[in-house]
Amino acid sequence: MKRSLGRVAFLLLLAAGVRPAAAQVQRPLNADQPTDTARVQLQVPLDSLVAEPLEAGPDSAHLVWLQTPPELKDLVADRVNCFETDVPHVFNGTVMSFVNYFTVRNRAYTQRILERQNLYFPLFEKYLAKYNLPQDLKYLAVVESALLPTARSRVGAVGLWQFMGPTAGDLRLVRNEFIDERMNPEKSTEAACKFLRDLYRQFGDWELVLAAYNWGSGNVQRAIKRNGTRNFWALYPSLPKETRNYVPTFTALLYTMQYANEHNLHSDELNYLYPERTDTVMISGRSLDLRKFSAQFGLDSGAMARYNPEIRKTYLPASIRNYALTVPHCVSVELAALDRNTLLDFCQVTLPPPAPITPVAPALDGADSTRTLVAAADKPVADKPKFRRVRHTVRRGESVASVAERYDVTPAQVRRWNELPRSKQTLTPKQQLVVFLPVETPETAPVVAAAPKPRIPAKLPLPTEKTTVAAVAPTETADADAPAEAKAEPAAKTVAARPARPVREVAAAAEPAEPAAPAPADDDSLPATYIVRRGDYLTKIARERGLLVAQIVAWNKLTSETVVPGQKLVFTAPTETEPGTLTTVATTTPAAKTRRASAPAVAPQAELPKTHLVQPGDTLYNISRRYQGVTVDQLRRLNHLKSDEVKPGQKLVIVQS
């Protein structure tokens, strides 16, 4: 009996000793729970502001939501719910994560947007009001391009509103080698308003419109048909990640930019941009070098690109038609003082003469071949070899490509000359190779006739500066060997002796008014006439002789810029055989100039011609400037004109008889 009681007591003590040890052992995790503690789902009570349930694993938006103080969440939620707009805005954890990104994590990005806000938002608001669209849609351009007109995405979307090529074509936006109107702020904004209006007519819900703008209307229609609902948040799980974040990003940016002061995003150090007053210059049928145009008015080389972001190059071609070039208002005074045709002729694109064609190395069949191929040669090849044979010893690490690059030949030639297989790229050290190099002889060098380089000033002078420039030019032409002091004095006396002489005659006696072309009559090396050959065109002929196309057209009385082979062209201004044609005063001998300078008082005063024959490109303003004391109103009154339009060949009365 005692033995059995002792056994029971031992078992009770053993059980009492084991129970505390078993309480310290951690219970094993269930099979359905993840073993990684970092991915264990956080069980928190659902907040009333959360629009969707927690996912299996908390993403970054959910973590930001959990880390945000409740007071801040309530404040942002109240502000979003108080938006008075036609576009619905839902506040949830995803929206809060983007609000945190724009106001805390990447404040510099938001501040760059705030700098450009005042530059583009007035333009957006004007067109949104024109098409009766909600004003909040202006923040869509912020989501798309951060208000950068030249923004380009990785998939090829361009501009403030990030249009793809096919969509831009449907909206009639011009896209070619020189112009891309997707980067034009005004035209792309109007196209975006039309596109948003059509999307709203299709879906009738602004959240679906935003999703269709990003993903495409066809994709959204298929998602609606597949899920059987037209609610954006019901379609949310079936949308791609970028489209899911599109609407929350739009809401977060709207909140951030409206409450930027509350988050201390504005600063005195920011460079805020504002709209400027601008004018337009119509360009049609002639090329325009934007760098020349900018330098003429004292602007930097990139100024015209900032005012015209849709221009893809530094110039406009001659094939462009009716293009409105935007210019700053500060140059309008100088622009009005200059003659429009003269300015555009001065700013034309001057292409360099084509370089001579480099002869291509002949393809030799073997290492012992010295045959040459001379392009466009009627004479037989001379007996003297045109290529010399060079032996090359291969060094360690050299390949066929490196040897070819060293001697400026192709790897295929090296393989052909040395009968190397195509698969062999590496060479054996100390291997002997043969390379044929062309012999440079002065006889084979192409002879290129140097065309006279036109004298183009750095800047087109204003009308007040032309008298001084024209007065100095004749002395430089007549007395090339005289010192500078002796050449400047007679010119000054000539101008002082004829105060009433028209400025046009002074400029004609010294140098043509066009700054880009020297007087061909003073240059004995240039022929006065030319017979048009096959392949010639006016631009080429004018460039070779340092003239303007307008001069050749006017001097030869051409109705167009088209010339045909065999046609005879004259390179001198016509003499005064018709009424209104001014005579070019030729440079006289030094003795005649001395007589003219010694008796300035008895020099007869030039009289104005009674009539003027209108030349191509003439306007009433240009004609009035050619004759001193003649105004546009006087020409209009004397000739009984009701408008300022004149036609070539028309005779205008300059003074009354």
Side-chain angles (χ1 to χ4, degrees), residues 284-303:
S284 182
R286 65 178 77 200
S287 62
L288 180 67
D289 192 332
L290 298 180
R291 290 172 295 185
K292 274 188 180 181
F293 191 87
S294 301
Q296 169 65 31
F297 299 104
L299 304 175
D300 60 280
S301 58

Side-chain angles (χ1 to χ4, degrees), residues 45-54 62 65 73 90-94:
L46 290 177
D47 196 302
S48 59
L49 298 177
V50 180
E52 70 264 16
L54 294 175
H62 184 212
W65 176 264
K73 289 189 290 186
V90 177
F91 180 79
N92 52 32
T94 306

